[in-house]
Amino acid sequence: MNQSYLELGADESKPIKAWIKDVPVDQKALEQLHNTAKLEVVFPHLAVMPDVHWGMGATIGSVIPTKNAIIPAAVGVDIGCGMMAVQTSLKASDLPESLAEIRSNIEKAIPHGKTFKGRDKGAWHSLEEPQIKTWESLRPSFLKLSAKHPKIADRVNHINHLGTLGTGNHFIEICLDEEQFVWFMLHSGSRGVGNRIGRYFIELAKKEMGRHIKNLPDVNLAYFSEGNPSFTDYTEAVSWAQEYARLNRELMMQSIIKVFKQSHRIPSFNLLNKAINCHHNYVSYESHFNQKLWITRKGAVSAEKEQLGIIPGSMGDCSFIVKGKGNLDSFKSCSHGAGRILSRTEAKKCFSLKDHIAATSDVECRKDLDVIDETPRAYKPIKKVMQAQHDLVEIVHTLKQVICVKG
């Protein structure tokens, strides 16, 4: 049987199984993977997805199984970041010829962009019932966590960020599938409060490892071991942040649906399928290879057999609704997107506004210098990424965006 992954492991490390055939991988990411594979808590091997690229703390596009331990920096600071998508009964012919008004209405309905003190563009100024009700369900656990670790609650917009998009590669898209049905799709995570929780526990892990941190190949790979009170606190905090992220996406999806329902230019419609809402930056306690392991998916999606997931391309390329094949070697995982081929800084140097306009010519989206770092050619070709993981997922729908909202 032809194995579709490559073996990257060195003698002094755990094996690395990488689904990277015919896709570019930068040297910095490879070095980072080898460092992670040297950890004694990693078991039995690392799995690497085709969208792999260097990331802060740990490699994006990697699945890191650990025994009796968790690495906070592997989970990262955008805890619970992920995707949500829903298919509607609308067809392409139901959309107006000009999509500018719809994009504008979405941007008005959902706060997005950076949050600045005194001029918050990315947070709610006045809260509505959905945000208040959702926060009330999250609040008791947050108060319990912050009572133990007060710094978690320091300078965070927890309730004001619920139902908001954020910045960077987070987006809202209106897409068409192969039968011209309209889909609503979005990408976001746990916003400021998740970032605060992530940074706090990353530093706490480094501090608690003390002199032992010198034995790590990278200080960012500091971990909590089971039995440590901070391990329990972190698992509770990360679980809470993952739930916050899931609910954040649900609130935004409600807002998108409301925008379309209220438009006099859009006919009435229904939702055709159960919404897909999946994390791709998270940790989960799972059984693999007859062991109970902590599985950290850092830029990877759960792909259990028959499980639906979302793999987005860049803002000018297609995206995919997929069904998992339950591949055991990948810890039943797949990629979380196309993956960057250029850093944000490199993309701004390499591409002009003219390049970006040409690459997004068929998409109603921002076409200004502030989004050059997200221009399509900063990412790997999504079709090559999908080919490299053909034994991890099956494509169910191919989506092409017609509207893209970026923070």
Side-chain angles (χ1 to χ4, degrees), residues 146-384:
S146 57
K148 277 182 162 183
H149 302 277
K151 287 186 178 179
I152 286 174
D154 187 27
R155 301 189 306 277
V156 292
N157 265 310
H158 33 58
I159 185 170
N160 296 82
H161 273 172
L162 266 174
T164 71
L165 185 63
T167 61
N169 62 352
H170 293 162
F171 63 79
I172 296 166
E173 288 185 347
I174 309 305
C175 307
L176 303 177
D177 68 15
E178 61 285 337
E179 294 183 15
Q180 297 296 289
F181 280 105
V182 174
W183 288 67
F184 304 152
M185 185 168 74
L186 58 89
H187 172 210
S188 192
S190 53
R191 304 291 283 110
V193 66
N195 184 294
R196 186 68 180 168
I197 288 170
R199 290 184 188 279
Y200 173 80
F201 280 102
I202 289 168
E203 292 307 311
L204 185 61
K206 291 177 184 178
K207 181 180 177 181
E208 291 198 356
M209 287 202 78
R211 61 187 177 84
H212 300 294
I213 204 166
K214 294 177 182 178
N215 299 324
L216 295 176
D218 183 338
V219 295
N220 285 309
L221 296 174
Y223 54 84
F224 296 122
S225 297
E226 287 188 22
N228 179 347
S230 294
F231 177 95
T232 303
D233 291 349
Y234 179 67
T235 55
E236 290 177 358
V238 82
S239 176
W240 181 89
Q242 287 169 189
E243 178 65 3
Y244 181 106
R246 184 184 67 81
L247 293 171
N248 181 47
R249 290 191 289 271
E250 285 188 1
L251 286 171
M252 279 191 285
M253 187 60 75
Q254 290 171 20
S255 294
I256 296 168
I257 293 168
K258 187 175 179 181
V259 164
F260 274 74
K261 293 281 189 184
Q262 290 180 339
S263 173
H264 66 280
R265 303 181 69 183
I266 304 290
S268 60
F269 64 94
N270 300 310
L271 305 181
L272 294 187
N273 63 11
K274 185 179 179 181
I276 307 165
N277 193 344
C278 56
H279 298 317
H280 55 222
N281 268 6
Y282 72 111
V283 63
S284 177
Y285 196 47
E286 301 175 7
S287 294
H288 295 272
F289 301 102
N290 297 315
Q291 298 278 346
K292 291 293 285 184
L293 301 169
W294 290 98
I295 302 296
T296 297
R297 293 184 176 92
K298 172 80 166 180
V301 180
S302 176
E304 295 263 2
K305 191 169 179 61
E306 302 298 310
Q307 182 180 17
L308 291 176
I310 308 166
I311 303 178
S314 68
M315 65 187 290
D317 211 337
C318 53
S319 299
F320 299 92
I321 305 299
V322 298
K323 186 185 293 183
K325 292 186 176 182
N327 188 296
L328 300 180
D329 286 313
S330 74
F331 303 98
K332 303 178 183 178
S333 308
C334 65
S335 84
H336 83 309
R340 296 194 74 91
I341 196 170
L342 294 175
S343 70
R344 296 187 182 281
T345 301
E346 289 169 336
K348 288 178 180 178
K349 289 178 181 177
C350 290
F351 303 117
S352 66
L353 182 56
K354 184 179 179 181
D355 294 329
H356 177 67
I357 290 171
T360 59
S361 60
D362 56 351
V363 184
E364 172 57 48
C365 64
R366 285 178 60 186
K367 302 180 195 288
D368 58 66
L369 290 172
D370 287 339
V371 292
I372 297 296
D373 57 342
E374 280 295 306
T375 199
R377 286 167 62 194
Y379 285 83
K380 299 178 186 182
I382 186 64
K383 289 179 182 176
K384 285 191 174 182

Side-chain angles (χ1 to χ4, degrees), residues 2-235:
N2 265 344
Q3 65 182 37
S4 60
Y5 59 81
L6 302 177
E7 295 267 10
L8 303 180
D11 290 341
E12 73 276 12
S13 69
K14 304 289 168 47
I16 301 173
K17 299 182 180 183
W19 282 259
I20 56 172
K21 288 185 178 179
D22 298 321
V23 292
V25 182
D26 62 283
Q27 187 59 36
K28 283 174 64 180
L30 291 174
E31 291 170 3
Q32 202 171 40
L33 288 168
H34 284 293
N35 280 339
T36 305
K38 291 175 185 176
L39 293 178
E40 61 180 4
V41 296
V42 168
F43 177 86
H45 64 268
L46 289 187
V48 180
M49 303 297 103
D51 57 343
V52 61
H53 58 286
W54 183 90
M56 189 65 70
T59 322
I60 299 167
S62 61
V63 183
I64 305 171
T66 47
K67 200 169 182 180
N68 305 319
I70 297 179
I71 309 164
V75 181
V77 298
D78 197 358
I79 301 168
C81 183
M83 299 288 303
M84 186 171 182
V86 63
Q87 184 185 28
T88 77
S89 61
L90 293 170
K91 297 296 272 291
S93 56
D94 294 321
L95 299 176
E97 187 173 339
S98 171
L99 300 173
E101 183 181 343
I102 295 178
R103 175 166 78 96
S104 176
N105 289 342
I106 293 172
E107 290 172 342
K108 289 173 185 174
I110 300 173
H112 58 285
K114 292 183 179 179
T115 300
F116 295 103
K117 188 176 181 181
R119 52 189 183 99
D120 288 352
K121 183 186 175 189
W124 295 103
H125 291 286
S126 57
L127 296 168
E128 297 184 1
E129 185 179 353
Q131 284 76 38
I132 295 169
K133 189 174 180 181
T134 300
W135 176 247
E136 284 306 308
S137 71
L138 292 165
R139 186 170 175 266
S141 295
F142 183 74
L143 291 177
K144 182 182 174 184
L145 286 166
S146 57
K148 277 182 162 183
H149 302 277
K151 287 186 178 179
I152 286 174
D154 187 27
R155 301 189 306 277
V156 292
N157 265 310
H158 33 58
I159 185 170
N160 296 82
H161 273 172
L162 266 174
T164 71
L165 185 63
T167 61
N169 62 352
H170 293 162
F171 63 79
I172 296 166
E173 288 185 347
I174 309 305
C175 307
L176 303 177
D177 68 15
E178 61 285 337
E179 294 183 15
Q180 297 296 289
F181 280 105
V182 174
W183 288 67
F184 304 152
M185 185 168 74
L186 58 89
H187 172 210
S188 192
S190 53
R191 304 291 283 110
V193 66
N195 184 294
R196 186 68 180 168
I197 288 170
R199 290 184 188 279
Y200 173 80
F201 280 102
I202 289 168
E203 292 307 311
L204 185 61
K206 291 177 184 178
K207 181 180 177 181
E208 291 198 356
M209 287 202 78
R211 61 187 177 84
H212 300 294
I213 204 166
K214 294 177 182 178
N215 299 324
L216 295 176
D218 183 338
V219 295
N220 285 309
L221 296 174
Y223 54 84
F224 296 122
S225 297
E226 287 188 22
N228 179 347
S230 294
F231 177 95
T232 303
D233 291 349
Y234 179 67
T235 55

